[in-house]
Amino acid sequence: MTSWDKLDASGGDPFDVLVVGGGITGAGIALDAASRGLSVALVERFDFASGTSSKSSKLVHGGLRYLEQRDFGLVREASLERGLLNRLAPHLVEPIPFVIPVADRWRRARFGVGMWLYDALSSFRNTSTHSYVDPDAVGTLVPALRTNETDRGMLRGGYVYYDSKTDDVRLVIEVLVQAVRLGATVCNYAAVRNMESSEAGCRALVEDTIDGSVMEVAARRAVVAGGVWNDGIEALSNHTATPRLRPSKGIHLVFGREDVPLREAAAFIPDAARERMLFLIPWHDVVVVGTTDADYAGDLDHPKVTSEERSYFLEALNENLNLSLSEGDVVSSWAGLRPLVRAKKDATVDLSRSHAVYEFAPGVVGITGGKLTTYRRMAQDAVDRIAPDLDRAGRSRTRWIKLGCGDVGALTNAVVRRAGHLGVGPESTAHLVRCYGDRALAVLDVAAESGLTEPLELGCLPIRAEALYCARSEMVVQLSDLLARRSRLALTTSTAGLRSGALDLLAGELAWSPAEAGRQALAHRTEVELERGMSLPREVARGGLDRTAGTTI
């Protein structure tokens, strides 16, 4: 990937397009614009995907629940984009069956109509059309489900339909890798501090937030894809702008599969007592449970999971499933903010999930709203908006650009052979294919060179060589970049990855002093604790620091 020094356009022509924001939408815009032959620069003030794009529900889905809001256009668009992503990134976007248990005839009829409509809006091109199964099949797919009594009687059966799951950060990285291969310049930890624009173009003052240096980046047009931060960025170039967004907060809890036994299927469970739906998704080697949808007016940089929100999920899970979960069973949790576009009604559930493209100022376009699944269409719409001003812009090609893998079977065979020679186990081998696609062989090259083939943390799938690869090829510059985003250990382990070998490996690779290594571990611990709304065990944090920094907290 690319770096800060390549942003400097002084003495040369301006970029055609400056993209502000390194989440999935910004990454998609960079790829779309680069695929049209335009010169592109992308800047992100934190790490790539560090905002909403790393805190999604991990789903590429049509939006079944939007049928209740009669938003058929969004469901249609999302369903078609889901099918397209299944083809463009088959290693990363994986179809998964969802089970909806049914306890009475009214719900069977209601969900049945919804299932047929859901299939129809995808032109019956989903992985499979829905089916109705008996109670025994439901119990097999969702072993923890109460099968004898529910709030409205006996379990009568359930519907099985298909959506897809993904690793949201890995999807962002894969899109950025393809954008860079087509000539885009991308840079994390590069914050826009000021922006001036006219019909002739724009100039942005960009700060390197690592060392504090500043440069001016010129472009013929700019697209701001800052998610929930868009209003603040718009104010840099338009001081009289009216806020367009109303953030919505969603939280997710993570459990071990021994505590919430799900293997192959996910579950979408009506929680009648709270008039909500719970979903449970087997993801990596854990189970993700979500989600809430509540109006949010707090700190955009640090949304957190509250004790009340944890209690809500634990109560709902224990009431609807044959479980006795407590806070001690929660492996991790996260809070994410959705950039919903303001509508006439006040309730968050009534705000638009569709995206909006609008003009910030002359030469600057903003885009916000939407969802992970529809990022490619959002990016296409944004670039279409500025394309008439850029005479060299062709048509979008992203419908045909593979995202890291063409033939999963052939790639898997090659990786298995290479991994077998290095002694990498089958589960870690599958993890490498799923996370890196055709770059999995490059990760194994690093493993062969360094001998780092052991797990990064005992019992986890990432191997130690990934830390070096991510530092060298995926622009990891902070400990949290690796643990919270590239490897996801901050989500899949209760220790947030602080007992892994990541700190030592990055300290050696990036030449951190003992003091800097200690600062990195403390910063990661603080970030995780802020988000989870609870402290990590002190011995865990000390264990992560002592080996390199000789420091205690």
Side-chain angles (χ1 to χ4, degrees):
M1 295 174 73
T2 52
S3 61
W4 172 259
D5 58 344
K6 293 186 179 181
L7 277 180
D8 192 355
S10 60
D13 293 332
F15 291 99
D16 290 322
V17 183
L18 170 64
V19 183
V20 181
I24 187 60
T25 306
I29 292 167
L31 175 58
D32 189 286
S35 75
R36 302 185 193 211
L38 300 172
S39 60
V40 180
L42 177 148
V43 293
E44 161 59 47
R45 70 168 175 152
F46 297 126
D47 185 29
F48 303 122
S50 56
T52 303
S53 294
S54 61
K55 298 166 184 175
S56 76
S57 298
K58 318 308 179 194
L59 292 176
V60 172
H61 66 116
L64 180 65
R65 64 195 182 104
Y66 303 144
L67 290 178
E68 282 191 315
Q69 301 169 25
R70 300 180 182 177
D71 199 342
F72 304 130
L74 178 59
V75 176
R76 168 73 173 173
E77 179 181 78
S79 296
L80 296 179
E81 290 296 316
R82 175 193 60 204
L84 185 59
L85 279 173
N86 283 333
R87 297 191 296 275
L88 296 180
H91 66 299
L92 194 53
V93 180
E94 176 187 355
I96 182 173
F98 271 77
V99 180
I100 302 180
V102 172
D104 60 67
R105 293 177 181 175
W106 180 83
R107 286 187 182 181
R108 176 172 180 175
R110 176 191 174 203
F111 285 124
V113 171
M115 291 288 97
W116 280 113
L117 184 56
Y118 201 52
D119 286 340
L121 288 171
S122 66
S123 300
F124 296 96
R125 293 177 182 173
N126 200 353
T127 302
S128 177
T129 55
H130 77 276
S131 59
Y132 187 80
V133 298
D134 62 28
D136 289 341
V138 173
T140 299
L141 291 168
V142 189
L145 190 67
R146 295 184 187 275
T147 57
N148 50 1
E149 291 186 4
T150 69
D151 63 307
R152 295 189 181 183
M154 300 291 290
L155 177 71
R156 293 177 178 271
Y159 286 101
V160 177
Y161 72 98
Y162 279 82
D163 265 319
S164 295
K165 63 179 178 178
T166 191
D167 185 316
D168 46 11
V169 174
R170 280 283 143 207
L171 184 59
V172 173
I173 296 297
E174 208 68 80
V175 175
L176 286 171
V177 166
Q178 299 308 314
V180 170
R181 288 175 176 173
L182 291 174
T185 295
V186 304
C187 190
N188 54 356
Y189 296 99
V192 172
R193 298 306 187 194
N194 193 29
M195 184 179 290
E196 297 179 354
S197 68
S198 68
E199 291 295 344
C202 68
R203 292 185 176 274
L205 194 65
V206 181
E207 178 189 0
D208 182 333
T209 60
I210 301 296
D211 66 16
S213 60
V214 176
M215 72 167 62
E216 187 176 77
V217 179
R220 297 172 65 192
R221 287 293 180 268
V223 183
V224 178
V228 293
W229 293 272
N230 256 33
D231 284 343
I233 301 172
E234 182 175 10
L236 294 176
S237 57
N238 182 1
H239 302 298
T240 62
T242 301
R244 303 172 187 270
L245 301 178
R246 187 167 176 181
S248 168
K249 177 183 172 185
I251 73 157
H252 299 77
L253 267 56
V254 177
F255 297 90
R257 294 202 187 187
E258 66 280 2
D259 294 317
V260 180
L262 277 183
R263 299 298 171 191
E264 304 302 325
F268 203 20
I269 299 175
D271 179 22
R274 298 162 186 80
E275 298 183 341
R276 300 195 66 89
M277 297 290 286
L278 294 171
F279 66 74
L280 297 82
I281 305 168
W283 183 76
H284 289 277
D285 52 354
V286 294
V287 174
V288 173
V289 178
T291 179
T292 60
D293 196 1
D295 201 13
Y296 182 78
D299 182 358
L300 297 182
D301 290 346
H302 301 294
K304 69 177 182 179
V305 179
T306 66
S307 59
E308 292 79 12
E309 288 166 332
R310 282 194 300 275
S311 295
Y312 157 73
F313 270 119
L314 291 170
E315 290 174 6
L317 286 169
N318 290 335
E319 287 178 14
N320 288 279
L321 301 172
N322 190 25
L323 299 172
S324 299
L325 299 169
S326 66
E327 284 210 4
D329 298 313
V330 179
V331 173
S332 71
S333 56
W334 71 81
L337 301 179
R338 303 180 184 96
L340 303 185
V341 180
R342 286 180 180 269
K344 293 181 179 180
K345 297 183 180 180
D346 288 334
T348 300
V349 294
D350 291 326
L351 299 185
S352 175
R353 264 63 177 178
S354 299
H355 64 275
V357 182
Y358 51 94
E359 185 176 277
F360 266 24
V364 183
V365 166
I367 181 168
T368 194
K371 52 202 292 254
L372 179 75
T373 307
T374 59
Y375 85 88
R376 192 204 64 84
R377 181 61 182 271
M378 293 170 65
Q380 179 180 318
D381 288 351
V383 181
D384 281 347
R385 180 71 171 265
I386 61 173
D389 302 325
L390 302 169
D391 49 8
R392 296 190 295 110
R395 291 187 176 184
S396 176
R397 297 171 47 215
T398 52
R399 291 182 61 86
W400 300 279
I401 296 175
K402 293 288 186 179
L403 298 174
C405 182
D407 187 331
V408 176
L411 174 63
T412 300
N413 290 337
V415 174
V416 166
R417 287 194 298 270
R418 185 76 189 283
H421 291 308
L422 295 173
V424 177
E427 291 186 343
S428 288
T429 300
H431 153 82
L432 290 174
V433 172
R434 182 173 60 245
C435 289
Y436 298 94
D438 60 12
R439 295 179 296 122
L441 292 169
V443 179
L444 290 176
D445 287 342
V446 175
E449 166 206 329
S450 63
L452 298 173
T453 58
E454 303 85 3
L456 191 57
E457 181 163 341
L458 187 64
C460 296
L461 300 179
I463 63 174
R464 291 168 64 84
E466 291 178 58
L468 303 189
Y469 178 82
C470 290
R472 296 171 186 177
S473 302
E474 291 190 355
M475 298 177 70
V476 161
V477 295
Q478 308 271 23
L479 181 62
S480 282
D481 299 344
L482 178 64
L483 295 181
R485 287 170 287 279
R486 306 303 188 279
S487 73
R488 314 320 301 271
L489 288 178
L491 301 186
T492 60
T493 67
S494 60
T495 60
L498 280 170
R499 280 185 173 165
S500 72
L503 183 63
D504 294 340
L505 291 166
L506 287 184
E509 180 67 21
L510 301 177
W512 288 341
S513 67
E516 175 61 16
R519 189 194 71 79
Q520 290 283 339
L522 178 58
H524 177 62
R525 174 192 173 189
T526 301
E527 179 181 314
V528 170
E529 289 182 336
L530 276 173
E531 183 167 52
R532 293 185 184 182
M534 57 193 304
S535 298
L536 294 175
R538 292 181 64 84
E539 64 273 15
V540 171
R542 283 200 300 270
L545 289 168
D546 287 345
R547 290 192 302 276
T548 300
T551 304
T552 58
I553 298 175

